[in-house]
Amino acid sequence: MSIRLPSADGGFRPYRPGTRPLAPLECGPARSRVFYSAAHVVADPLAASAEAGPAVDWEATLAFRHRLWAQGLGVAEAMDTAQRGMGLDWPTAAELIRRSAAEARSVGGRIVCGVGTDQLAAGVVHSLAAVTAAYEEQLAHAEEYGAAPVLMASRALAASARDPEDYLEVYGTLLRQSARPAVLHWLGPMFDPELVGYWGHEDLDRATEVFLKIIAECPEKVDGIKVSLLDAEREVGIRRQLPAAVRCYTGDDYHYPELIAGDGELASDALLGIFDPIAPIAARAARALDLGDRVGFRELLDPTVALSRHLFAPPTRYYKTGVVLLAWLAGYQDHFTMVGGLHSARSLPHLATAYELADGLGLFPDPDLSEGRMRQLLAVHGVAS
């Protein structure tokens, strides 16, 4: 039986859902690469009021992280995928870090946590001292609960920095006091328009020189840099310039298979939002790579790129909507609601295509459930399926 899906051209197309979902998989962490999945949060749609801040369904949110750990993936917590700066405020992110770090310890799961400056008021140019203090507060919180930090790109720093020296000062201060090596994060403006000119330059070559200088001054305090520019050639160039002990974590949701596979000399590790919905395939691909099966790795991961490019299509920052939709369709949460109302950020045809692509990859454990939920979503919008 087929389902009638809306198309971007205003028409409809029939689609026959798949019947062969991927079998459940549990495995240990990858050995040949480090794989982190940035993870989404599950909203609590029954919260009486949002006045106290974003309402999170903690049980469902943490259960999803346990699912990632069971498949051998690490969790990148309180990052962009968790709606940092797009619905999730710092008090809620701080609680998320506390809870997730405790759960990671309970199962020996790998975790890193986003450290930023989002407790500072938006729309205000803050002093460099205030930006540094905000970072320090979040860094201390992550360290208190034993989580390695990801120093996230800061809107406040981008607004207040006068030149590259300000970036050198802020990041140098943070790295010198960090208790463990940190991951630096270069989030391109396609993910957040307020980050244009990060590192003090709009010219990407000159910007690269700045963060390489930051790393060179404290190489022992830098675990790696996550590059989220959606530019494979540039990422390859960056990883060639990194010190041998510093990892390049791809954040490129368009070109990740080739970047993780590597060029025979160097390869990227991964910290990706797309790993949230494609975790069962990412885990299998990691296992193939551990066995030295580069062909099998690409055969598993390459077919997921169409889904990823669709979810991360411009405006790229709204990719979280598709990620949460797929979690609902897969049965990992009971509703399609997001903090801040972000579930309304994508069109119905966009969501329908996400369903079709994910179903074709076998990502829904119960195809009948996912089909029924997709029909439910269509009906809410007045579309007969």
Side-chain angles (χ1 to χ4, degrees):
M1 183 175 180
S2 63
I3 181 172
R4 186 166 169 263
L5 298 177
S7 301
D9 61 5
F12 292 87
R13 66 187 185 281
Y15 174 69
R16 185 174 295 276
T19 58
R20 295 184 179 180
L22 290 170
L25 172 71
E26 291 194 8
C27 60
R31 301 185 304 275
S32 57
R33 306 284 190 278
V34 177
F35 282 70
Y36 285 112
S37 170
H40 75 282
V41 293
V42 182
D44 180 359
L46 301 180
S49 172
E51 293 178 359
V56 173
D57 181 335
W58 293 112
E59 182 177 354
T61 293
L62 295 173
F64 190 81
R65 282 133 181 83
H66 277 281
R67 189 171 292 109
L68 294 173
W69 287 319
Q71 295 173 98
L73 300 178
V75 169
E77 189 55 276
M79 300 284 291
D80 188 58
T81 306
Q83 295 182 242
R84 288 294 289 274
M86 291 187 69
L88 199 75
D89 61 14
W90 167 239
T92 311
E95 180 67 6
L96 180 61
I97 290 170
R98 184 188 71 80
R99 289 175 181 254
S100 289
E103 295 299 316
R105 287 194 301 274
S106 74
V107 296
R110 183 178 285 160
I111 188 169
V112 292
C113 292
V115 166
T117 64
D118 48 336
Q119 70 270 56
L120 296 175
V124 178
V125 177
H126 299 274
S127 68
L128 214 59
V131 172
T132 304
Y135 263 127
E136 289 173 334
E137 177 190 353
Q138 296 198 17
L139 177 61
H141 180 79
E143 291 182 340
E144 179 181 356
Y145 295 104
V150 178
L151 299 181
M152 300 174 69
S154 163
R155 293 174 181 170
L157 180 55
S160 64
R162 297 157 298 181
D163 52 43
E165 294 302 318
D166 286 345
Y167 288 89
L168 290 166
E169 178 182 339
V170 171
Y171 278 90
T173 297
L174 295 170
L175 290 173
R176 284 190 294 272
Q177 65 184 267
S178 178
R180 61 178 67 191
V183 177
L184 307 184
H185 188 191
W186 189 358
L187 191 68
M190 68 288 293
F191 288 93
D192 189 339
E194 294 186 46
L195 299 177
V196 172
Y198 210 74
W199 308 114
H201 293 290
E202 290 193 35
D203 178 271
L204 299 186
D205 290 332
R206 297 184 70 187
T208 299
E209 293 173 0
V210 176
F211 79 73
L212 287 174
K213 187 174 181 181
I214 291 170
I215 294 172
E217 291 181 354
C218 297
E220 74 284 356
K221 290 295 189 76
V222 180
D223 170 64
I225 179 162
K226 170 177 158 59
V227 183
S228 298
L229 299 177
L230 304 183
D231 183 336
E233 184 177 353
R234 183 161 296 279
E235 181 174 321
V236 169
I238 287 172
R239 75 187 184 199
R240 287 175 181 157
Q241 299 178 71
L242 293 173
V246 175
R247 299 178 183 275
C248 181
Y249 290 98
T250 187
D252 188 333
D253 299 279
Y254 283 11
H255 308 99
Y256 51 95
E258 64 197 73
L259 289 165
I260 298 170
D263 56 15
E265 295 182 11
L266 297 172
S268 296
D269 294 281
L271 197 165
L272 288 162
I274 190 56
F275 279 1
D276 181 306
I278 70 162
I281 299 175
R284 286 169 166 80
R287 187 166 58 177
L289 206 55
D290 284 348
L291 295 173
D293 183 4
R294 288 167 56 91
V295 172
F297 169 82
R298 294 297 297 267
E299 287 177 345
L300 283 161
L301 217 52
D302 282 358
T304 68
V305 172
L307 171 62
S308 189
R309 289 189 174 220
H310 178 72
L311 294 182
F312 286 79
T316 303
R317 61 189 180 277
Y318 294 134
Y319 75 88
K320 300 97 164 167
T321 302
V323 167
V324 174
L325 170 82
L326 297 184
W328 173 57
L329 294 177
Y332 302 144
Q333 57 190 77
D334 295 332
H335 57 83
F336 177 42
T337 307
M338 299 176 68
V339 297
L342 202 63
H343 50 279
S344 63
R346 291 293 202 185
S347 70
L348 191 60
H350 178 93
L351 300 178
T353 299
Y355 160 71
E356 181 179 352
L357 291 170
D359 180 70
L361 293 168
L363 289 172
F364 299 135
D366 184 342
D368 290 338
L369 173 68
S370 59
E371 179 186 348
R373 288 186 168 182
M374 192 64 214
R375 290 183 187 275
Q376 176 187 336
L377 180 64
L378 294 171
V380 167
H381 289 82
V383 176
S385 60

